[in-house]
Amino acid sequence: ANIRQPIMKTFSCLLVIAAYLIQKTISYSAVPPPQRLKDLLQSELDGTRESNVPILLPCCYDGLTARLVARAGFEATFMTGFGVSAVNGFPDTQLVSFQEMQQACLRVTEGLLSASLEQDGGTPIPCIADGDTGYGNAVNVKRTVHGYARTGVAGIMIEDQVSPKRCGHVAGKSVVPFKEAVQRVKAAADARDEYIQQFGTGTGPLILARTDALKTDGFEAAIERCLAFLEAGADMTFLEAPETVEQMKEYCQRVPGPKLANMLEQGSTPILPPSELKQMGYTMAAYPLTLLSASIKAMEESLRRIAVGEATDDLILPFPKTKDAVGFTRYAQEEGKYRTD
């Protein structure tokens, strides 16, 4: 109990900071993050977004990766539970708790805000965050949606796996029964609407409903779940791990509304060019492990060279660029603005 009290006090302070960041975000754009995401999705659906590729979502998992995605000019991002688990030292098997994921959301939205402030106070890009199974029953799902919303994310993904869930491209996963899956999504949609009632139009995080039923119950069952999730109030759907191009095409043809393609390199789903995904009918394309895997590869090679005394100069950025990437440039500007000597 003596240990938990300071932890809870610290987390309460973080939530106060989160609320402040949300207000700062809204003051810059006058449009809440969920509404910005909704507008972006609508522009892709109605053809007013001028691009030959879907909305690309390089996935982030902490403040630094969020900053890098935003600084690279992407329109949106996705906070991957695989990545958050990994940087906490765990596999993606739901060993990371709701509170730890909520804190990760806060770090990501802080990173997005800091990157936007570097760009002359531009609008932070919206982020969809991985909400796993909602961390319990339908009532837990509602708390998860409310908790994520308070951090400033634009959307939340809720899936139909049995808890503890795992990465959709590894063995051993299973899904809850159809009715329970639908009720889980309905609870998330209700929580979104409750948040809107409390805080105003456009404030409730959009619901991305994911099914992993293809692997366990077959393609038709997965399609049935996606359609039922939309009926239950989901804003977007995600049929995880289709194994053929034909399955990907049929999903896009049969399920209306915004749809997510998961481009996990060396996973179960064919990796296709973004332009081809758009032609199929995908609205978004996520790249869940590209940044994480690339960083692991670079770090392992750096460690190998350090161990044998080899130079690492060709692997690293010039120090000024590293400092700029993590925010020293703006910090120095801000520090100078408020000097008293």
Side-chain angles (χ1 to χ4, degrees), residues 87-136:
V87 296
N88 278 280
F90 300 110
D92 184 18
T93 51
Q94 211 165 351
L95 291 170
V96 176
S97 68
F98 158 69
Q99 189 175 81
E100 290 169 304
M101 290 293 288
Q102 187 186 30
Q103 290 173 338
C105 289
L106 176 59
R107 288 190 287 270
V108 164
T109 54
E110 285 180 320
L112 296 176
L113 177 61
S114 70
S116 71
L117 290 173
E118 291 176 356
Q119 300 166 350
D120 298 323
T123 303
I125 64 173
C127 174
I128 303 171
D130 191 346
D132 293 322
T133 62
Y135 309 102

Side-chain angles (χ1 to χ4, degrees), residues 239-301:
L239 195 161
E240 171 66 304
E243 298 177 345
T244 66
V245 171
E246 289 69 27
Q247 287 180 342
M248 298 170 75
K249 288 181 178 179
E250 189 169 351
Y251 163 53
C252 289
Q253 291 167 358
R254 294 175 59 184
V255 178
K259 291 172 283 290
L260 175 72
N262 195 25
M263 295 289 96
L264 172 57
E265 297 91 347
Q266 301 175 30
S268 303
T269 301
I271 302 297
L272 301 176
S275 58
E276 189 171 341
L277 293 173
K278 176 155 182 162
Q279 290 172 1
M280 280 185 182
Y282 280 105
T283 320
M284 301 167 285
Y287 295 81
L289 298 187
T290 309
L291 297 185
L292 176 65
S293 184
S295 65
I296 292 172
K297 181 177 181 180
M299 287 189 284
E300 287 185 338
E301 175 59 17

Side-chain angles (χ1 to χ4, degrees), residues 28-334:
Y28 281 117
S29 64
V31 179
Q35 186 64 52
R36 295 203 307 276
L37 176 60
K38 186 174 183 178
D39 292 344
L40 178 62
L41 292 171
Q42 185 58 44
S43 70
E44 174 62 15
L45 291 172
D46 64 22
T48 57
R49 176 177 171 270
E50 297 181 358
S51 177
N52 63 350
V53 299
I55 300 162
L56 302 178
L57 305 174
C59 291
C60 61
Y61 43 85
D62 58 15
L64 176 59
T65 50
R67 282 177 51 81
L68 293 176
V69 172
R71 285 160 57 97
F74 288 92
E75 298 168 284
T77 186
F78 187 107
M79 189 191 83
T80 161
F82 192 117
V84 174
S85 297
V87 296
N88 278 280
F90 300 110
D92 184 18
T93 51
Q94 211 165 351
L95 291 170
V96 176
S97 68
F98 158 69
Q99 189 175 81
E100 290 169 304
M101 290 293 288
Q102 187 186 30
Q103 290 173 338
C105 289
L106 176 59
R107 288 190 287 270
V108 164
T109 54
E110 285 180 320
L112 296 176
L113 177 61
S114 70
S116 71
L117 290 173
E118 291 176 356
Q119 300 166 350
D120 298 323
T123 303
I125 64 173
C127 174
I128 303 171
D130 191 346
D132 293 322
T133 62
Y135 309 102
N137 63 16
V139 181
N140 292 88
V141 170
K142 294 184 75 171
R143 187 201 176 204
T144 299
V145 173
H146 290 156
Y148 275 39
R150 290 195 300 274
T151 70
V153 297
I156 178 172
M157 182 177 75
I158 297 293
E159 62 189 75
D160 61 359
Q161 280 198 47
V162 171
S163 182
K165 57 85 63 182
R166 61 190 62 209
C167 169
H169 292 254
V170 301
K173 66 179 183 177
S174 57
V175 296
V176 298
F178 177 85
K179 289 183 179 179
E180 182 179 347
V182 173
Q183 288 298 94
R184 190 180 282 180
V185 173
K186 185 178 186 305
D190 287 346
R192 172 203 60 208
D193 295 343
E194 290 169 359
Y195 201 86
I196 291 171
Q197 289 175 357
Q198 289 184 319
F199 297 101
T201 302
T203 60
L206 304 191
I207 307 302
L208 171 62
R210 162 179 157 176
T211 182
D212 286 75
L214 188 153
K215 186 68 174 179
T216 59
D217 298 4
F219 182 73
E220 286 300 322
I223 291 291
E224 181 184 13
R225 289 192 178 215
C226 286
L227 293 171
F229 293 165
L230 290 173
E231 286 288 327
D235 300 285
M236 309 165 276
T237 62
F238 170 22
L239 195 161
E240 171 66 304
E243 298 177 345
T244 66
V245 171
E246 289 69 27
Q247 287 180 342
M248 298 170 75
K249 288 181 178 179
E250 189 169 351
Y251 163 53
C252 289
Q253 291 167 358
R254 294 175 59 184
V255 178
K259 291 172 283 290
L260 175 72
N262 195 25
M263 295 289 96
L264 172 57
E265 297 91 347
Q266 301 175 30
S268 303
T269 301
I271 302 297
L272 301 176
S275 58
E276 189 171 341
L277 293 173
K278 176 155 182 162
Q279 290 172 1
M280 280 185 182
Y282 280 105
T283 320
M284 301 167 285
Y287 295 81
L289 298 187
T290 309
L291 297 185
L292 176 65
S293 184
S295 65
I296 292 172
K297 181 177 181 180
M299 287 189 284
E300 287 185 338
E301 175 59 17
S302 298
L303 291 168
R304 185 195 68 78
R305 293 193 191 187
I306 291 171
V308 298
E310 294 181 6
T312 59
D313 299 282
D314 61 318
L315 298 178
I316 64 174
L317 289 172
F319 188 42
K321 287 191 175 182
T322 300
K323 290 191 294 180
D324 182 61
V326 302
F328 269 101
T329 302
R330 177 169 173 80
Y331 181 87
Q333 294 170 349
E334 291 289 287

